[in-house]
Amino acid sequence: MTDKDIQLGIQVVPLTRDDKVYDKIDAAIEVIQNSGVKHVITPMETVMQGPYEVLQQVAKEAQQAVVDAGCNEFLVNIKMHIRLDGDVTMEEKRLDR
């Protein structure tokens, strides 16, 4: 798609009735934290910055981590900001507000 940095926001919502729902979410977040990509964790999603293909792979691995944590049904919401002629950075979005 592009070799420029994009931003990808991912929210994984386990559809489970057990009391370990946050353990499953934490498994996805751990994959992102260990990926080496720039990221910001928020209460509703985690936003990553990096090359398109890299972020797609991290998102796929985060989903697999939820499965590996014992979840057999979940929702995944992904949002991307792509700019073909330049990087999309967290700094330009003024996260300090």
Side-chain angles (χ1 to χ4, degrees), residues 28-75:
I29 291 171
E30 183 176 359
V31 166
I32 294 166
Q33 289 175 317
N34 292 334
S35 71
V37 301
K38 187 172 189 174
H39 65 280
V40 175
I41 300 166
T42 74
M44 298 298 291
E45 69 181 355
T46 298
V47 180
M48 300 181 282
Q49 178 181 315
Y52 178 88
E53 296 297 334
V54 171
L55 299 188
Q56 290 292 331
Q57 183 62 35
V58 173
K60 182 179 177 181
E61 291 170 6
Q63 293 169 68
Q64 185 60 50
V66 173
V67 172
D68 294 345
C71 191
N72 65 358
E73 185 177 3
F74 53 96
L75 301 174

Side-chain angles (χ1 to χ4, degrees), residues 77-93:
N77 297 304
I78 292 178
K79 298 181 285 189
M80 292 184 284
H81 182 172
I82 299 168
R83 182 181 298 133
L84 297 179
D85 63 351
D87 293 331
V88 179
T89 68
M90 292 182 186
E91 291 78 16
E92 73 184 77
K93 295 191 176 184

Side-chain angles (χ1 to χ4, degrees), residues 9-23:
I10 184 168
Q11 177 191 48
V12 179
V13 183
L15 299 177
T16 181
R17 296 179 189 262
D18 67 30
D19 60 350
K20 305 258 190 237
V21 67
Y22 287 112
D23 292 345

